[in-house]
Amino acid sequence: MKKQGLSVLIPTHNHVCVTLVKQLAQQLAVTGIDHEVIVADDGSTDSASIAGNQAINDLPHCRYLIRQENVGRAAIRNVLVREAQQPYVLFIDSDMTILNDNYIRRYLDNDCDTVIDGGVAIHGDEEALRGNLRYRYEKAEEPHHTAPERQKTPYQHLHTANLFVHRDLMLAHPFDERFRYYGYEDVLLGKTFRQQHIAIEHIDNPLGFCTFETNADFVTKTEEGLRTLGQFRDDLKGYSRLLTLVSNIHIPAVLTMIRLWHKLFGRLERRNLCGSHPSITIFKLYRLGYFICSCS
């Protein structure tokens, strides 16, 4: 199926993504279709990042929009959709990396005319990153995020880091702008698509995830995501493994024990996770205890 016209949409915050935009512009230029790349800065506070991204405006068919106020992860993507001029949009996170020269072409040649999720591949020097919690966690989860695995539950595995969508669908079903903070705005979009019987196809066309924050920053981000999950738990029921796990704990004594454990050992667990030898097992225990104590 020949797709005519693509807008690549990249929200960013305190991150320079000129290299990514250049690579996308090069791939788009040889497709023969109408195209554009729009980067929207969601209220960055780092002046160096803003200055660095100004170079995007010098690239053909590329625009850099600066928003003075941080409106949140959902709202900035809705802004980008409204700015887009082409019939299809491709959402990409600004810290992603292009892994192959046919990345754009694989989307254009796919027969799906609604929603396509290309996935993410975790890249990095294993030896250098062996003490990085984010890297270790993402690598451990990677087998669950192959295209065949994602296709088993396609609506629960929708992620905006690498998502190709017909623009009309996004105009009709925008991101829920209640989601201002980290996490789950894309999960709720997947639920919306399921309710509307909109097909999602998961394919093997990954972008590289190569940027890993410090352990302390990742723990803080995880806590923020857990608070988001708790805030919207009714909306996200059935779309989160953690919510399903907690909802299946029917014995009050078990919940009491988890709360007591987190009260006694949560600080020690967090210290391990922020240190140089973080444990994935402790990370999972900490997430469960934090959610039950702080978010449920």
Side-chain angles (χ1 to χ4, degrees), residues 60-128:
H61 307 290
C62 298
R63 288 188 284 155
Y64 177 50
L65 309 178
I66 300 175
R67 308 277 297 188
Q68 299 299 326
E69 178 188 0
N70 182 281
V71 296
R73 296 167 58 87
I76 194 64
R77 287 176 170 84
N78 290 338
V79 168
L80 281 162
V81 172
R82 292 192 295 269
E83 286 284 336
Q85 300 296 310
Q86 302 302 329
Y88 293 91
V89 300
L90 173 58
F91 292 105
I92 297 178
D93 283 355
S94 64
D95 58 353
M96 295 290 104
T97 301
I98 304 292
L99 299 179
N100 69 81
D101 294 336
N102 295 315
Y103 168 71
I104 294 293
R105 176 57 63 186
R106 288 180 181 177
Y107 278 125
L108 299 179
D109 290 345
N110 190 282
D111 287 336
C112 182
D113 195 44
T114 53
V115 184
I116 312 172
D117 190 312
V120 172
I122 310 303
H123 281 244
D125 184 335
E126 184 173 356
E127 181 65 22

Side-chain angles (χ1 to χ4, degrees), residues 90-203:
L90 173 58
F91 292 105
I92 297 178
D93 283 355
S94 64
D95 58 353
M96 295 290 104
T97 301
I98 304 292
L99 299 179
N100 69 81
D101 294 336
N102 295 315
Y103 168 71
I104 294 293
R105 176 57 63 186
R106 288 180 181 177
Y107 278 125
L108 299 179
D109 290 345
N110 190 282
D111 287 336
C112 182
D113 195 44
T114 53
V115 184
I116 312 172
D117 190 312
V120 172
I122 310 303
H123 281 244
D125 184 335
E126 184 173 356
E127 181 65 22
L129 291 167
R130 63 182 176 179
N132 184 275
L133 178 60
R134 180 70 181 270
Y135 175 77
R136 294 188 60 194
Y137 175 73
E138 298 293 353
K139 287 298 289 186
E141 291 293 307
E142 199 170 30
H144 303 295
H145 300 306
T146 64
E149 285 297 313
R150 287 183 278 123
Q151 197 62 50
K152 291 178 181 177
T153 52
Y155 298 97
Q156 284 86 342
H157 278 95
L158 183 143
H159 297 289
T160 51
N162 182 15
L163 186 68
F164 187 100
V165 192
H166 199 291
R167 179 172 179 263
D168 286 346
L169 290 179
M170 293 309 306
L171 291 173
H173 309 291
F175 289 97
D176 189 327
E177 296 189 6
R178 293 177 299 163
F179 286 72
R180 287 187 52 87
Y181 302 106
Y182 179 74
Y184 298 99
E185 77 282 348
D186 44 6
V187 178
L188 188 61
L189 181 65
K191 178 181 178 180
T192 299
F193 286 160
R194 182 176 186 175
Q195 291 172 332
Q196 299 298 320
H197 307 289
I198 296 168
I200 297 178
E201 182 169 346
H202 289 269
I203 66 172

